Every structure is written in C-alpha cells, then in structure tokens.
C-alpha cells in the first residue's frame, strides 16, 4: 500500500537535490515549505511516495548517498 | 567598437545569457523564502546552475557550489574563512589584489601571516619547489591564481594541488582568468576551494561569482543573516550552500551565469582556448616585429591564457589605450590590479597594455586592430 513520507531537510537546495535524485530513480517526490518549531523555524520538506518498506529504505539510501541529512517528520503508518 | 578587453569582462554576452536573465526576472521569486511556485522555480533554477558548475569544474556535490557576487568575494570568503583563527598562507608572486589584499589585511591585523613563493613560468618544477620551501610548520593554506591576469602564464595547478594534499594544506585557487579558458578540475587538481567570476570566461553577467567548496575544510562564515532555513536559530546553518549564502541572491544574474556556463560547456573549453590562440597569433607576430614594442605575455600555448600584454617604449600604457579607444578599440592598460605581477615584468613605471579576446573575436577585428595600432604608432605615440 502506498504511503507518503515527509522528510525534513536542511534547506530548499537540499530538498531540490533530493527531489531530483529520487525522481531519477523512479520515485514521486515533491518539495514543500514547512515551518514550526519541529522544523527549527522555516524549512523545507521532501514528500516522497513509496510503495513499500523496501522502496522506502531505497529512497533513504539514495538521500544519504547524496549527502543529504534528513529527519522523518511524518509518514510512519500514513 | 573592437572589444579586446575580455579578460576584464567578456562582451558581448551570448544571446542565451540575455534571455536567461530576463527569464530569471520574469519567472523566479526569492528562493527558499516561500513555498509558492515562484520561490520553488527559483530554487530549481539555482540547483540547475549548481549542477552545471559542478560538471564544468569537477565538483562532486553541487550543494557545495556557493553563489556570490564575484571572484574577489569568493577569495575573501575562502581566505578569511580559513585563516580567521590564525595560521600562515603561501601565495605566488603574480597574484591579483583579490588575493594580496585579503592576505595583507589578515597580516597587518595580526591574525595570520603569509609568504610569497617565486614562480618560474619556464620551469614548473622550480615553481613547485619554491612553494614547498615557503611552507612553514604554521602553514595551513596554499593559494594561487591558475594563471596570471597580466601575462597569461599558467601555474602548475595540478602539481601544487598534489603538494597541498601531501602537506595537508587547504588549496585555494583563483580561477578568475582561467575559468572557461584553461581546464580546471577540483577533483583532478586536488583543489579545496575554487573561486570564480561569472562575468569573464564564463560569459555570465557582472555581479555573479562562485565559490566551489571541497569537503575537507569547513569555512568560518564571513557574513550572517537570513537563509530561509532553520530560522529559529541565531547560528548560521551548518550545511552548504545555506551556510555561506545568506541574504537574497542575484537570481537573474545566476540564471545568466548558468546559461553562460552551458555555452562554455557546449563549445568546449579547449576549443574556446584554441580559437582565442588562433586570433592572438597575428597580434604576437606583428607586435614582435615592432622595435618599439616589448611583449610581456607568456607564449600562446595550451598551458597559458591566450592574451597579449605589451609596452611601447617611452609611452605610458594608459596613453596607448587612450589612443586606441579614440580609434574605437577597447583594451586594458595600467596595472591590472596586480602590482606583484607587474613588478615581476618590470612594468611598474608605466604599466602595460593587455589585449584579450573572447570566443566572439574574429580575424577581421584583429586585422583592424593591428592596422589601427600601426597607424597610431607611426603617427607617433607620446
């Protein structure tokens, strides 16, 4: 079952970088602005749609390999 | 006008650069400051420009391409970011004031010291040996231009990069004249910080520049402010590019710079340099035959930037440039903000005249320039 994971990233540049890396690997990924204390103020999130846990792990490996630090802000069980 | 002052600023710009600047104004907002279409379009544009720079200069991670206003700013960010806590730098004896003044400022304020290594344009090994000898136990930074903006003479960047890596020193390269003309690769040449102007050989607009950062040395920030990220903290973000890119960027200019870099990438740096050498060959040939003229520039070879610098016996360089300007030829005279290089050329008295082509310079312009120079020389330059 598809679910959308929201990853908090350090900047809009990193969000765009992550979006491009994931899109090149067949993921649906979108950049959204986020704000609030959880985001450390203003920031950007990357919304990634995954089909299963394997794809989720793959997406996270791709982000890490690109040097993008992220936190999972929402999505578990979404 | 016959424009031969391209080492200062390339002119004209490719039509794609003009169109990109307009696109930046029409289609882009302030990147990172909003979640709306215009803001995200700006972020996309910036990212694509970072990717283009990374491809062109062998940078592994495009996120480490930092936009700034010019090469001078990039050099200040690198040198002051590395040396603000102290240390010692070694630079060459042909540096532009964009390197010499920050190092001098750090030195006179007692923050960091520096030494100058003599270059030998005819013996790369000797140049590298002189750098090696100038390294002290306090040295933390090697900094040099990739080629002299006065003579065009290339420095042995790859060998100096290897030396810096061997001695665990940060290697900062001023790519002002080399970018778009000589091949530079951060990866291959072990460059830690590559400082670039947008408006010269990359054919972008004035007011654009890049600091490309390797991942071995963090830089102290030189300016702090809003980044559109992590705004509840008074500390600047740790990650690049935001750490060094606070305040609103010159987005239309960067769109133009991206188009300029794509123009260079498409034509190929080696092809561009070869074309410029071809255009400069008759200039060297004719001026060398003139007994009143002394050539100061390095030979037209793939190791050097293809420009021609000369003096006319008994005539101040500004007078030569003025006479040429009156006849419709734009060149650069004086000291080119590089007194050390002029001291080395023994041209501190009257400066020198620099003729520099771009990819748009053609044989007809060169023929016309040489004819005009010949006429004003025969009339008697005073």
């Amino acid at each position: 079952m598809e679910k959308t994971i929201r990853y908090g990233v350090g900047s809009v540049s990193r969000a765009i970088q992550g979006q491009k890396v994931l899109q090149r690997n067949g993921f649906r990924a979108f950049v959204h602005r986020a704000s609030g204390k959880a985001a450390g103020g203003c920031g950007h999130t990357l919304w990634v749609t995954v089909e299963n846990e394997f794809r989720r792990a793959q997406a996270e490996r791709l982000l890490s390999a690109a040097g993008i630090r992220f936190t999972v802000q929402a999505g578990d069980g979404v | 006008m016959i424009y031969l002052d391209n080492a200062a600023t390339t002119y004209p710009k490719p039509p794609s650069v003009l169109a990109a600047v307009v696109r930046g104004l029409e289609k882009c907002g302030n990147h990172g400051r909003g979640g709306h279409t215009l803001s995200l379009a700006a972020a996309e544009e910036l990212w694509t420009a970072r990717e283009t720079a990374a491809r062109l200069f062998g940078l592994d991670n495009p996120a480490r391409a930092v936009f700034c206003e010019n090469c001078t700013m990039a050099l200040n960010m690198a040198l002051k970011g590395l040396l603000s806590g102290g240390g010692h730098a070694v630079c060459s004896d042909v540096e532009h004031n964009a390197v010499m003044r920050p190092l001098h400022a750090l030195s006179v304020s007692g923050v960091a010291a520096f030494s100058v290594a003599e270059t030998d344009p005819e013996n790369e090994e000797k140049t590298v040996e002189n750098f090696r000898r100038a390294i002290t136990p306090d040295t933390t930074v090697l900094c040099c231009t990739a080629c002299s903006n006065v003579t065009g003479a290339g420095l042995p960047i790859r060998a100096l990069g290897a030396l810096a890596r061997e001695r665990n020193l940060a290697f900062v390269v001023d790519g002002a004249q080399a970018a778009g003309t000589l091949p530079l690769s951060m990866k291959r040449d072990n460059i830690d910080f590559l400082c670039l102007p947008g408006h010269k050989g990359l054919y972008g607009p004035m007011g654009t520049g890049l600091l490309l950062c390797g991942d071995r040395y963090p830089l102290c920030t030189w300016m702090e402010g809003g980044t559109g990220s992590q705004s509840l903290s008074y500390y600047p973000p740790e990650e690049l590019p935001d750490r060094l890119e606070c305040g609103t960027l010159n987005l239309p200019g960067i769109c133009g710079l991206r188009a300029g870099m794509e123009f260079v990438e498409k034509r190929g740096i080696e092809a561009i340099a070869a074309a410029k050498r071809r255009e400069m060959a008759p200039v060297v040939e004719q001026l060398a035959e003139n007994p009143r003229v002394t050539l100061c520039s390095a030979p037209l070879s793939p190791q050097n930037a293809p420009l021609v610098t000369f003096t006319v016996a008994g005539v101040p360089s500004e007078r030569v440039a003025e006479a040429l300007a009156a006849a419709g030829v734009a060149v650069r005279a004086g000291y080119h903000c590089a007194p050390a290089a002029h001291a080395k050329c023994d041209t501190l008295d009257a400066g020198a005249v620099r003729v520099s082509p771009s990819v748009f310079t053609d044989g007809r312009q060169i023929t016309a320039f040489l004819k005009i120079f010949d006429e004003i020389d025969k009339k008697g330059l005073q």
Side-chain angles (χ1 to χ4, degrees):
Chain A
M1 186 180 145
E2 278 192 352
K3 59 183 178 183
T4 300
I5 317 289
R6 275 188 258 165
Y7 296 105
V9 291
S11 66
V12 69
S13 302
R14 294 303 194 153
I16 297 278
Q17 180 185 19
Q19 181 189 33
K20 288 189 182 285
V21 166
L22 293 175
Q23 285 177 342
R24 274 200 292 269
N25 285 277
F27 287 90
R28 275 183 287 151
F30 300 93
V31 174
H32 291 269
R33 180 144 170 101
S35 57
K37 284 188 177 170
C42 298
H44 284 77
T45 51
L46 192 55
W47 292 24
V48 184
T49 303
V50 295
E51 297 84 1
N52 50 46
E53 283 303 310
F54 175 78
R55 287 286 278 167
R56 174 182 173 161
Q58 190 185 12
E60 292 179 2
R61 273 199 306 275
L62 286 165
L63 293 174
S64 295
I68 300 167
R69 284 183 238 160
F70 59 86
T71 54
V72 179
Q73 292 200 338
D76 288 327
V78 171
Chain B
M1 177 196 280
I2 299 169
Y3 187 81
L4 296 171
D5 192 17
N6 292 282
T9 293
T10 47
Y11 176 88
K13 305 297 182 188
S16 60
V17 171
L18 275 63
V21 172
V22 173
R23 190 183 68 237
L25 287 164
E26 284 180 345
K27 311 270 187 199
C28 295
N30 199 341
H31 93 289
R33 284 7 181 219
H36 52 76
T37 313
L38 286 180
S39 184
L40 290 175
E44 287 258 7
E45 279 284 349
L46 281 173
W47 184 257
T48 309
R50 293 186 213 280
E51 286 185 321
T52 309
R55 252 190 343 263
L56 203 52
F57 295 104
L59 172 68
D60 277 340
N61 187 347
R64 306 189 72 84
V66 173
F67 288 105
C68 55
E69 288 178 19
N70 47 53
C71 191
T72 298
M73 185 182 278
L75 283 160
N76 272 267
M77 288 161 77
L79 292 172
K80 292 177 179 169
L82 288 164
L83 292 163
S84 59
H88 173 260
V90 179
C91 67
S92 84
D93 60 352
V94 294
E95 299 302 328
H96 188 277
N97 276 344
V99 168
M100 295 309 291
R101 285 182 173 169
L103 289 179
H104 182 257
L106 287 163
S107 173
V108 294
S109 59
V111 174
F114 74 98
S115 303
V116 176
E118 189 185 348
T119 54
D120 185 338
E122 287 162 17
N123 187 337
E124 293 196 344
E125 283 175 16
K126 201 170 164 192
T127 298
V128 176
E129 190 49 36
N130 289 341
F131 267 85
R132 187 186 294 277
R133 280 202 203 121
I135 295 169
T136 73
D138 292 332
T139 305
T140 47
V141 175
L142 285 196
C143 176
C144 69
T145 183
C147 64
S148 164
N149 68 313
V150 175
T151 66
L155 271 70
I157 291 301
R158 206 173 305 180
L160 290 171
L163 172 63
R165 193 56 61 104
E166 174 199 317
R167 303 296 291 269
N168 202 25
L169 307 173
F171 188 36
V172 179
V173 172
D174 171 2
Q177 289 303 323
T181 297
L182 299 178
L184 289 171
S185 166
M186 293 189 67
K187 200 171 185 174
R188 184 197 59 211
D189 303 335
N190 287 315
I191 298 171
D192 292 303
F193 296 96
L194 180 56
C195 306
L196 304 167
H199 65 115
K200 296 179 191 274
L202 298 180
Y203 294 88
M206 289 78 96
T208 60
L210 276 158
L211 172 61
L212 306 184
C213 305
D215 57 9
R216 295 201 314 151
Y217 298 93
L219 285 184
C220 295
T221 55
W222 73 288
M223 182 169 90
E224 294 80 29
T227 57
S229 56
Q230 299 172 35
S231 47
L232 291 183
S233 171
Y234 289 151
Y235 290 97
E238 285 297 321
E239 276 193 323
L240 291 176
D242 281 26
R243 182 170 177 77
L244 298 173
E245 272 182 359
C246 56
T248 297
L249 291 173
N250 173 9
L251 201 106
I254 294 167
C255 289
L257 173 54
R258 171 195 159 190
M261 290 190 290
E262 287 171 349
F263 172 81
V264 168
E265 193 175 34
K266 198 170 169 187
R267 294 226 173 182
I269 288 174
E270 282 170 20
I272 288 172
K276 291 203 269 189
R277 283 197 299 275
R278 270 197 306 278
E279 298 304 341
M280 285 296 95
V283 177
V284 171
E285 199 176 316
Q286 180 171 319
L287 294 181
E289 285 173 2
N290 187 328
R292 277 160 51 80
V293 168
T294 302
L295 288 170
C296 319
S297 41
L300 295 174
S301 75
Q303 290 77 37
N304 303 324
L307 53 84
V308 178
T309 306
F310 65 95
T311 58
V312 180
V315 186
S317 61
E318 290 292 357
R319 177 72 196 98
V320 178
E322 195 179 282
L324 286 168
V329 180
V331 295
R332 171 86 187 269
Y335 299 109
H336 311 91
C337 301
H342 277 280
K344 196 174 175 70
C345 293
D346 200 18
T347 48
L348 276 182
D349 280 344
V353 180
R354 184 182 67 190
V355 178
S356 54
S358 84
V359 76
F360 297 114
T361 306
D362 63 31
R364 280 177 307 175
Q365 291 173 312
I366 294 300
T367 304
F369 156 66
L370 288 170
K371 188 164 175 268
I372 290 166
F373 178 76
D374 201 37
E375 283 167 6
I376 60 175
D377 184 39
K378 279 179 180 151
K379 271 188 206 163
L381 279 161
Q382 296 292 324

